[in-house]
Amino acid sequence: SAASDVYKRQGKITMLKLSNNRKSLYVGVDSGREGEFKGDVYVLDAVTGEILTTYSEVGGAPVDILEKY
């Protein structure tokens, strides 16, 4: 699957959070990159595991996320 291909890179999962509507799974990853912007957040379809959106190079290692409506 596309998600498993992403995780073949070196990194550490730092966050798993199910969306309020239970349709998406947020996965925070410490990519191991040097510097301040070493985090990535992937939004996966909670049923299929398909990556819907990627937010690369977020500050630090993601540990929580808030959804806006």
Side-chain angles (χ1 to χ4, degrees):
S1 76
S4 63
D5 292 340
V6 168
Y7 302 123
K8 287 180 184 173
R9 298 190 304 229
Q10 209 171 29
K12 180 174 108 176
I13 295 175
T14 58
M15 173 191 71
L16 290 173
K17 187 168 185 178
L18 194 59
S19 65
N20 290 332
N21 66 9
R22 300 179 181 254
K23 292 183 179 183
S24 300
L25 178 66
Y26 297 97
V27 181
V29 177
D30 179 341
S31 69
R33 287 188 299 270
E34 293 294 323
E36 182 180 348
F37 300 101
K38 62 183 180 177
D40 298 321
V41 176
Y42 299 92
V43 183
L44 280 59
D45 181 295
V47 175
T48 67
E50 176 187 354
I51 297 173
L52 303 174
T53 306
T54 302
Y55 300 97
S56 298
E57 299 183 4
V58 299
V63 294
D64 199 5
I65 195 165
L66 295 174
E67 287 183 290
K68 286 182 94 176
Y69 298 98

